[in-house]
Amino acid sequence: MNWFSFSVPTDVKGIPADLLSVYPHPCNAVLYISSSGMSGGATVTISSMAGAEVYRQACTLGGTIAVNVSQLAPGMYLMSVRTDASTYVRKIIVR
């Protein structure tokens, strides 16, 4: 008999919601991410609700990041900000 062993993470360390703010919501052309309580490098990713990645941008936290969403079709998306240590995920709506 063959046995398989799987290691599954049971916890994801998230970025506290009060360290990041995302606005305006819903957005039209530009989405702003304010990260005044953080520093270091991160990656902003936007994915469709079907899971397809439609946008990716490397950035530096510690100020305001402008994300151009004008090329995205209107609808709901998942936006994530990932650092080496944690991840922040939020639903966004593009008009």
Side-chain angles (χ1 to χ4, degrees):
M1 200 178 267
N2 292 328
W3 293 92
F4 296 95
S5 176
F6 296 97
S7 175
V8 179
T10 57
D11 187 26
V12 175
K13 183 178 179 186
I15 297 171
D18 60 340
L19 293 180
L20 285 177
S21 60
V22 179
Y23 58 93
H25 195 262
C27 59
N28 293 321
V30 179
L31 178 71
Y32 295 98
I33 304 167
S34 176
S35 59
S36 58
M38 304 179 67
S39 63
T43 302
V44 175
T45 305
I46 298 176
S47 301
S48 69
M49 295 307 286
E53 185 177 295
V54 295
Y55 181 88
R56 177 180 288 263
Q57 173 183 334
C59 60
T60 302
L61 299 175
T64 301
I65 302 157
V67 177
N68 181 357
V69 295
S70 63
Q71 77 281 4
L72 299 179
M76 189 177 304
Y77 296 87
L78 290 176
M79 182 219 53
S80 66
V81 178
R82 298 177 199 263
T83 68
D84 289 338
S86 54
T87 302
Y88 173 89
V89 179
R90 176 159 179 188
K91 287 182 187 177
I92 60 169
I93 297 173
V94 176
R95 287 189 188 175

